Amino acid sequence: FDQRWDSAYKTLSVKCKLLHIVYPILLLHQVPILEFALSLFGLESCCEIDQIILHLSRKATLKEFSLMLWLSDEYKLPPAFFNLQQLTVLKLHNCAFRPPETFSGFSRLVKLLFNKVSITAKDFLWLISNCPRLEALALIGDENHLLGCWNSNFVELFERLRLLKHLLMSAYPIKCFATGFMPKKLPTSLVHLKYLHLHRLRFGREVDFLCALSLVASFNVEITEIEMEDNPTEAMSQSAMNPIDYYNSFVILDHLRVIRIRNFTNTKIGMDFVKFILAKSPMLKKVDIYINHQVDINGELKIVKELIRYPRASAKAEIMIKKPTLSI
């Protein structure tokens, strides 16, 4: 029951949709339910969702669960949710994750997406420590969702994610894990990590830039995607730019095949980052740069002219400028 379903019955109240459509379908469905997805806007009371989760927990067959809610207040997951021990995929939006003391984790979970899910550092680290099969993690949120004191670091995080193949993090969680110990190159080796997506970064913020550089340099990722915050305007301090020279002395990104940068502007630090990627990636095949909508045609031409001059470790590296589409 996704957004298309929600909009198809827009004349009905949310409560009517649940009581007269979702409930009957679940009650009449006799064979095991392996996957359940629900997306809703404007729900005032969550007791109906509590009943759905209770019903699913009694079935004890659910493998994939997606709950995407757009409410004025976050939805507190009921105790029955933590009995879904067969889960391999979990996607939550606008929920509060407060596990009971008896919760033992999701031992079969392979994919976890938390988008605006309120959780403490203690509960989050405990959760991923008890998801030993986790291969994909997305953590998106801000200070309203990552609660309390987050004094952990990336080393502690990645020690719990040794099978990770796909990582997506937004700027605030990145900042939280960088408040502890942030080495220039992380000692933890995620040998399986192939896809890295960093969401809503600002290279003008020193912590964002340093984390992006450290994460890209530390792992053997094949695809890196960086989505910049719309119209980043902060000026980078000179002290924050020195790490590029540090990484130039020893880093070779010999696994990187594709890099995508969205909302790109022609700031010096952004251009230096692309220059570093081109010079250090002998297997690079594709660079997609999506220019910020506020960059005018003169700014676009300036970006193109500079990129043409940059040396490339890979003769096959193709640079695509996506606003408008220009090919170098």
Side-chain angles (χ1 to χ4, degrees), residues 72-122:
S72 56
D73 295 319
E74 61 188 12
Y75 169 62
K76 184 179 179 181
L77 296 163
F81 165 79
F82 298 96
N83 294 329
L84 299 173
Q85 289 297 306
Q86 305 300 314
L87 287 181
T88 60
V89 176
L90 175 60
K91 301 178 182 179
L92 298 176
H93 178 273
N94 199 27
C95 296
F97 193 93
R98 307 282 190 275
E101 293 183 0
T102 55
F103 179 56
S104 59
F106 296 117
S107 61
R108 304 188 183 192
L109 202 65
V110 175
K111 184 175 183 179
L112 174 65
L113 186 155
F114 274 6
N115 188 346
K116 298 183 178 179
V117 172
S118 65
I119 188 171
T120 65
K122 179 182 177 181

